Amino acid sequence: MVTRSVYLTTPIYYVNDVPHIGHAYTSIATDVLARLYRLSGAKVYFSTGVDEHGQKIEQAAGKANMTPQAYCDKISDVFRDLSRAMNISEDVFIRTTEERHKLAAQALWTRLVERDQIYLGSYSGWYSVRDETFFAESELIEGKAPTGAPVEWVEEPSYFFRMSQWQEPLLAYYLQHPDFMGPDSRRNEIMRFVEGGLRDLSISRSTFKWGVPVPNDPDHVMYVWVEALTNYLTVLNFPDMEGDLYKTFWEQATHIVGKDIIRHHMVYWPALLMAADLPLPKRIFGHGWWTREGQKISKSVGNVIDPFALVEQYGLDPVRYFLMREMPFGKDGDFSDAAFKHRVNGDLANDLGNLAQRVLSFVQKQVDAKTPECGELIDADRALLDMASALPDKLLALSDHQEIHKICESIWAVVGEANRYVDAQQPWALKKTDTDRMQTVLYVLMETIRRIAIVTQPLMPESCGRMLDYLGVPEGLRDFKGLDTQLVPGTALPKPEPIFPRIE
Ligand code: MSP
């Protein structure tokens, strides 16, 4: 069997400010996918990092009275801390101030020059520093960028990328590769945008210095987006295209991004790659945005959610689960305290937590803290076990389309069924009438919980790890391969503690 390769990326986050819940969200979602693919035995490469160049960062450093480099060193550490605090399992954390990134970005530029894709002109038009994006007059809304950010008039010599040439090739590519962009709503939005025509893109700036110098013209720095997008190649050691990393992973790339930056990823990036004669990533997925109690999250409203504080208050795994379950991946959603409490108490404390706790503590008392014996199975037993066994294939198929909320739903359908099975089989009543059958029922339940815990690890690594400890599952048998084994009757079990506390 050929081992599948999967390359997953998050956007690289701007270091002009400290991380907020939106950054944590994208990173956790990508992490869930990476962990799931790893469980399945795939070869996974998962990258995240920070975007450190550009006018916005230069200005933020100035405000903080620091050099841009010192400022970037400081804030990028906070983003690294975010990865640790959210239990993100990235294989590489890229900073765009690294020398290797400068080389990669310049190599892409040179490939474009060699193919006559870049010319020197002069730019005059609107620029939003906050979005680091140029806007046409016709795109402005009441004198502001469509994002609401202020724009300023920019007039300067600039290199241009012949993006207008790539309109037709892009549209043809989109049509031939229906899975290239997701979800469908964003795919449609991007197709309409490209059908509307593409203008050549200004890809250098000459009025400030904080960026990667344009090869052979030190008066210009590369436009930060062109440079930043290259990070996805940098971490594969581009321009070395003969190495294992590039060869194994580049064409298996899935970029996970927020809806705010789909134009850069679904239009500019593939156009640049086509023009540089490089293969395109496999898929780009644009997820939705969180609001807070119905309002846009912003510093000026003062409703920013600090991911560190949230985890401090509730523990990490409930936060990870809530973020993945509450909002369909791809749609917008709302973060409210009531919804958070409802999910954590309902899905975690009541449904999964109670299931594990009542089964495991019953086994402690009634089966001498050992894995029960399994007698003959009846249809109800087999039905539950089969439902749990069907999860891995189902979850992998959902992962390929980034349907993370459906991953949660599918697992919780089995949790619900297991709870109904407990009620129907009544192991506590069997204790008085048929202890052999009681053991079989408990065994079936422990097996079901084992299967649930294994596939739920990507969502809640730490909590599911504990659950597997209580079930006596050895470390080496916690992946999809391990699902083919079975619990061994008679194994001594540790005393279980409740895993998901209620929020009062
Ligand atoms: N530096 C660029 C990306 C370059 S990638 C080559 C950038 N950085 S950012 O710091 O602004 O991060 C934007 C990303 O943060 C969004 O695409 C999204 O993934 C995440 N989010 C920011 N706010 C968000 C919400 N309110 N809700 C969900 N995610 C959001 O853009």
Side-chain angles (χ1 to χ4, degrees):
M1 210 179 78
V2 191
T3 310
R4 187 173 165 192
S5 307
V6 179
Y7 174 33
L8 288 160
T9 69
T10 75
I12 47 172
Y13 306 115
Y14 286 128
V15 295
N16 66 307
D17 204 353
V18 293
H20 60 72
I21 196 74
H23 304 125
Y25 178 62
T26 314
S27 290
I28 291 169
T30 314
D31 183 61
V32 169
L33 297 172
R35 287 177 186 269
L36 232 153
Y37 285 120
R38 285 194 199 108
L39 282 187
S40 78
K43 234 194 252 177
V44 174
Y45 197 60
F46 170 17
S47 84
T48 187
V50 284
D51 192 350
E52 305 184 294
H53 285 131
Q55 207 172 0
K56 168 152 94 173
I57 313 293
E58 191 180 72
Q59 287 177 0
K63 262 197 207 135
N65 256 324
M66 294 170 88
T67 63
Q69 186 64 51
Y71 180 81
C72 289
D73 289 347
K74 180 172 154 210
I75 310 283
S76 57
D77 273 349
V78 186
F79 277 91
R80 249 187 237 275
D81 293 347
L82 180 76
S83 264
R84 300 293 67 79
M86 301 297 136
N87 202 356
I88 306 301
S89 63
E90 79 269 12
D91 297 295
V92 56
F93 186 100
I94 166 102
R95 294 184 55 182
T96 55
T97 46
E98 289 170 42
E99 184 65 18
R100 62 173 181 151
H101 174 69
K102 180 175 135 188
L103 295 177
Q106 290 179 332
L108 178 72
W109 185 284
T110 303
R111 284 182 75 97
L112 292 166
V113 170
E114 286 165 358
R115 288 163 181 78
D116 189 30
Q117 290 296 319
I118 294 181
Y119 62 92
L120 184 62
S122 100
Y123 182 81
S124 60
W126 297 103
Y127 191 77
S128 153
V129 175
R130 201 163 88 196
D131 302 312
E132 294 283 16
T133 298
F134 301 98
F135 290 102
E137 179 87 37
S138 59
E139 288 178 293
L140 301 188
I141 301 167
E142 289 170 9
K144 290 196 164 153
T147 56
V151 290
E152 60 189 38
W153 185 256
V154 172
E155 255 185 73
E156 62 191 28
S158 169
Y159 286 95
F160 283 83
F161 163 51
R162 298 189 195 280
M163 195 158 72
S164 55
Q165 287 185 356
W166 297 95
Q167 179 190 6
E168 289 309 323
L170 273 178
L171 285 171
Y173 192 88
Y174 297 156
L175 286 173
Q176 281 159 14
H177 301 84
D179 277 342
F180 182 60
M181 303 181 281
D184 282 345
S185 56
R186 310 231 191 272
R187 174 171 192 267
N188 293 337
E189 180 187 332
I190 289 296
M191 301 234 341
R192 296 299 89 77
F193 173 73
V194 176
E195 280 161 9
L198 293 177
R199 288 172 302 144
D200 287 352
L201 184 68
S202 164
I203 54 164
S204 75
R205 302 291 310 273
S206 48
T207 45
F208 67 95
K209 284 273 162 257
W210 186 238
V212 170
V214 164
N216 303 318
D217 190 345
D219 290 343
H220 291 251
V221 294
M222 288 174 67
Y223 170 40
V224 65
W225 263 104
V226 172
E227 179 228 304
L229 286 161
T230 318
N231 93 86
Y232 301 132
L233 288 169
T234 306
V235 298
L236 301 181
N237 292 336
F238 178 84
D240 173 10
M241 293 159 71
E242 294 309 316
D244 269 356
L245 274 179
Y246 180 88
K247 287 221 292 232
T248 311
F249 292 111
W250 174 240
E251 289 179 59
Q252 306 308 323
T254 294
H255 300 314
I256 307 292
V257 303
K259 66 176 183 179
D260 48 323
I261 54 177
I262 57 174
R263 197 183 283 186
H264 307 84
H265 281 83
M266 297 176 179
V267 183
Y268 301 176
W269 184 225
L272 286 161
L273 289 167
M274 280 180 174
D277 199 13
L278 291 168
L280 269 49
K282 194 159 124 191
R283 184 166 164 87
I284 303 155
F285 187 90
H287 68 67
W289 268 42
W290 286 96
T291 53
R292 169 92 170 124
E293 311 282 347
Q295 271 195 308
K296 189 176 170 182
I297 299 179
S298 88
K299 262 214 274 196
S300 50
V301 181
N303 61 354
V304 174
I305 306 171
D306 172 2
F308 295 103
L310 197 64
V311 165
E312 186 72 27
Q313 187 174 359
Y314 296 111
L316 173 61
D317 283 349
V319 170
R320 285 177 64 109
Y321 177 75
F322 174 79
L323 292 175
M324 295 302 104
R325 176 65 184 84
E326 185 67 10
M327 151 165 145
F329 202 55
K331 297 236 167 66
D332 292 340
D334 187 49
F335 195 114
S336 75
D337 293 339
F340 186 80
K341 192 172 150 187
H342 181 77
R343 280 283 172 211
V344 171
N345 288 348
D347 296 8
L348 297 186
N350 290 349
D351 297 346
L352 180 55
N354 257 345
L355 172 70
Q357 190 58 22
R358 56 182 179 156
V359 169
L360 289 167
S361 45
F362 196 70
V363 167
Q364 284 282 316
K365 283 201 212 94
Q366 304 304 334
V367 200
D368 217 9
K370 293 205 176 75
T371 306
E373 294 295 328
C374 178
E376 203 156 315
L377 298 180
I378 64 170
D379 285 351
D381 306 339
R382 273 188 293 265
L384 181 64
L385 291 170
D386 288 350
M387 192 178 175
S389 294
L391 282 172
D393 284 348
K394 201 178 207 172
L395 303 190
L396 274 180
L398 291 169
S399 300
D400 287 345
H401 289 95
Q402 296 75 39
E403 294 180 290
I404 302 178
H405 57 292
K406 290 197 187 160
I407 290 179
C408 304
E409 278 168 25
S410 308
I411 298 173
W412 260 258
V414 181
V415 173
E417 204 49 41
N419 275 313
R420 282 187 287 279
Y421 173 93
V422 180
D423 296 342
Q425 301 300 325
Q426 309 213 337
W428 47 89
L430 289 169
K431 189 180 83 175
K432 296 188 198 103
T433 56
D434 186 347
T435 52
D436 284 352
R437 177 63 193 154
M438 175 195 80
Q439 293 224 18
T440 301
V441 167
L442 291 172
Y443 184 87
V444 167
L445 280 164
M446 281 184 60
E447 255 304 314
T448 305
I449 299 170
R450 179 181 75 98
R451 294 171 196 190
I452 291 170
I454 286 179
V455 302
T456 310
Q457 292 175 100
L459 290 161
M460 298 186 283
E462 194 268 338
S463 309
C464 292
R466 275 169 59 205
M467 208 177 280
L468 291 164
D469 292 343
Y470 298 148
L471 291 162
V473 178
E475 286 286 348
L477 296 180
R478 297 182 176 191
D479 57 6
F480 284 3
K481 253 208 208 117
L483 280 172
D484 296 338
T485 64
Q486 281 187 346
L487 290 172
V488 181
T491 307
L493 300 171
K495 193 173 173 328
E497 300 288 339
I499 295 178
F500 300 110
R502 288 182 69 81
I503 303 175
E504 293 313 332

